[in-house]
Amino acid sequence: MKKYSIIALLAWVFPTMTIAHETTLKIATFNVSMEALNYVAHKRGEPVHVSTKTLADALASDHQQIKNIAEIIQRINPDIILLNEFDYLNDNNQALKGFINNYLNKSQHGQKAIDFPYFYQAPVNTGVNSGLDLDGNGVKGKLPGDGYGYGHFPGHFGMALLSKYPIDFDNIRSFQHFKWHDMPNALMPIDPVTNTPWYSQATWQALRLSSKSHWDVPVMVNGKTIHMLANHPTPPVFDGPEDRNGKRNHDEIRFWHDYITPALAGYIYDDNGQKGGIKTDQTFVMLGDFNATTVDGNAIKAGISSLLNNTKIQDAMPHSQAGKLHKPDNINAKYHTSNWGMRVDYVLPSVSGLDINNSGIFWPTETDENYRLIKDRKASSDHRLVWLELTTKN
């Protein structure tokens, strides 16, 4: 009698059923810090970030920094990568397509070209004028400080998700417009002198939580859906004793903690009005520049600590020898992902549905030939690419 595998029998009995296969894939995050591309504006004698043309101009100029960024990505060869600080230009993705087609699709320094046939980019809050006095300088509607997120133009410091696997565009959720005050027990900034709310009531009611956006982007990996939970919280600095940016950073991070915890997610609504967070059995990877660490810096550490200690999350704690050598007096330096000496960039997979095989930070030592790619901010970025190799579980 001929023997059949269980999968073959299921496929015969249920011919339309999609069966998930175990897949090993690499997922990365990289703050490409492309505001360093303002060389175009400087050459014209214009102020930094005078228009949305800066990034487009740089992309069209065969710029070495972008080539280095592309080479780093080619060397790591991720299947899915989040780019932070890649401006959203509202140009029908022409800038992003230009980066893919003219840099990633072409060999850089002998590396194999890499293609991402699927990508997602959308509006963010940075540079979107609120018309309010958000920075407390007494002037309403003056960018960059009065943007819903700090930025000189709409889309400044944006995000982009690139994937070798199909994206389920119909089920993407974005949370750009979620109001900060709608988060239970939100950390409202308080003026320490008067002990009163730092924002006026009208401003507090209008203020959005996300300084850029929060995205839930489902990616279809050989029959299995993996939700990419992407964001880029505001730096917890550049404020005053009211700590408005520190508190916002905390609550932007806390949003994801609540989103993956069904008992806490009831208050959440997306930009289409759909309520709630991710379902208990759904697989996810949280990724981005969180601008926070549990041990260094000015962030309110309870936010990032509660996330990293969430029982639904695995933290591989990627590390590098070069990071350790960069700040030899810091015992946590091997975990750093930025050249100023902090761990701020994260790839955090769910416990459900994923096994961690390997992880790393692209940070060559000074004696490595590839050090040229990260030797300073102009070479590529002040952040390092962080990656995890994962295997899906049925």
Side-chain angles (χ1 to χ4, degrees), residues 18 163-168 217-226:
T18 300
S163 176
K164 295 179 182 178
Y165 292 95
I167 293 173
D168 181 4
V217 182
V219 178
M220 311 301 295
V221 180
N222 293 333
K224 184 179 184 66
T225 300
I226 304 178

Side-chain angles (χ1 to χ4, degrees), residues 314-319 335 343 347-349 356 358-359 387-388:
Q314 306 178 72
D315 183 8
M317 297 190 70
H319 57 274
Y335 304 114
R343 183 191 184 194
V347 181
L348 301 172
I356 298 174
N358 201 358
S359 65
W387 59 269
L388 261 61

Side-chain angles (χ1 to χ4, degrees), residues 334-355:
K334 68 178 181 179
Y335 304 114
H336 290 171
T337 66
S338 62
N339 69 3
W340 67 87
M342 286 176 59
R343 183 191 184 194
V344 291
D345 305 276
Y346 296 86
V347 181
L348 301 172
S350 60
V351 171
S352 174
L354 294 169
D355 285 328

